[in-house]
Amino acid sequence: MDPVHQTRFSSALLTGVFAGLVATLLCMAYYLGYKGVTGFPFSSFINVSSLIFVINIIFVIIGLIYSFFLQFSRKGEIQFVLLFALITVVLVITANGVHRSDNPVWNNEFHELLAGLIIIMGISAFVFIPLLYHNRKFIDKVL
């Protein structure tokens, strides 16, 4: 799309969508690698299908939130980065309290898998989105 016709809203939203695609691929690689190394038996909650759909929906919402922060605050980008870094830390800590199985090994493996996915998504949100949003080559070639 012609950068002249891009609005702040559309640029932020599309950057969120692109970051979501990258996060999805990274999460799928982590999930498949983790499952292959550990032999983690449960795939009813976290699987390839859920990763594809949930992560992309989450990143559309994150793109909307990023647009909101840019539009309504002069320091919106810094606030966005700090908020999503904090959310990532809180979710990683919370993930350790999830009880998935009575087997302590499987429970620990689930914690590690979930925490890794949260970290990948969090870094994608609070690093990739602001970086790509301001990258001229990304705007010209991708958006």
Side-chain angles (χ1 to χ4, degrees), residues 21-73:
L21 292 174
V22 171
T24 300
L25 293 174
L26 292 172
C27 285
M28 283 179 27
Y30 175 73
Y31 169 76
L32 294 173
Y34 188 85
K35 193 169 168 116
V37 169
T38 63
F40 183 67
F42 299 117
S43 62
S44 60
F45 180 65
I46 298 176
N47 55 46
V48 173
S49 299
S50 65
L51 290 175
I52 291 170
F53 292 114
V54 172
I55 293 172
N56 286 302
I57 290 170
I58 289 171
F59 271 85
V60 167
I61 295 167
I62 292 172
L64 292 172
I65 293 169
Y66 185 65
S67 171
F68 174 80
F69 272 91
L70 290 177
Q71 184 137 6
F72 294 108
S73 176

